[in-house]
Coordinates of all heavy atoms in Angstrom, one line a residue:
N30 N -65.7 -50.6 91.0 CA -66.6 -50.2 89.9 C -66.2 -48.9 89.3 O -66.2 -48.8 88.1 CB -68.0 -50.0 90.5 CG -68.9 -51.2 90.1 OD1 -68.4 -52.1 89.5 ND2 -70.2 -51.1 90.5
I31 N -65.8 -48.0 90.2 CA -65.3 -46.7 89.7 C -64.1 -46.8 88.8 O -64.0 -46.3 87.7 CB -65.0 -45.7 90.9 CG1 -66.4 -45.3 91.5 CG2 -64.2 -44.5 90.5 CD1 -66.2 -44.8 92.9
M32 N -63.2 -47.7 89.3 CA -62.0 -47.9 88.5 C -62.3 -48.5 87.1 O -61.8 -48.0 86.1 CB -61.1 -48.9 89.2 CG -59.9 -48.2 89.9 SD -58.8 -49.4 90.7 CE -58.1 -50.2 89.3
V33 N -63.2 -49.5 87.1 CA -63.7 -50.0 85.8 C -64.3 -49.0 84.9 O -63.9 -48.8 83.8 CB -64.6 -51.2 86.0 CG1 -65.3 -51.6 84.7 CG2 -63.9 -52.4 86.6
S34 N -65.2 -48.2 85.5 CA -65.9 -47.2 84.6 C -64.9 -46.0 84.3 O -65.1 -45.4 83.2 CB -67.1 -46.6 85.3 OG -66.8 -46.2 86.6
A35 N -63.9 -45.8 85.1 CA -62.9 -44.8 84.7 C -62.0 -45.3 83.5 O -61.6 -44.5 82.7 CB -62.0 -44.5 85.9
E36 N -61.8 -46.6 83.5 CA -61.0 -47.1 82.4 C -61.8 -47.3 81.1 O -61.3 -46.9 80.0 CB -60.4 -48.5 82.8 CG -59.1 -48.3 83.5 CD -58.5 -49.7 84.0 OE1 -59.2 -50.7 83.7 OE2 -57.5 -49.6 84.6
V37 N -62.9 -47.9 81.3 CA -63.7 -48.2 80.1 C -64.8 -47.2 79.9 O -65.7 -47.1 80.8 CB -64.3 -49.7 80.1 CG1 -65.2 -49.9 78.9 CG2 -63.2 -50.7 80.3
T38 N -64.8 -46.4 78.9 CA -65.8 -45.4 78.6 C -66.1 -45.5 77.1 O -65.4 -46.2 76.4 CB -65.3 -44.0 78.9 OG1 -64.2 -43.7 78.0 CG2 -64.9 -43.8 80.3
S41 N -63.1 -44.4 75.4 CA -62.0 -45.3 75.4 C -62.2 -46.4 74.3 O -61.3 -46.9 73.6 CB -61.7 -45.9 76.7 OG -62.6 -47.0 77.0

Side-chain angles (χ1 to χ4, degrees):
N30 256 2
I31 285 159
M32 259 181 68
V33 167
S34 51
E36 272 178 0
V37 178
T38 61
S41 80

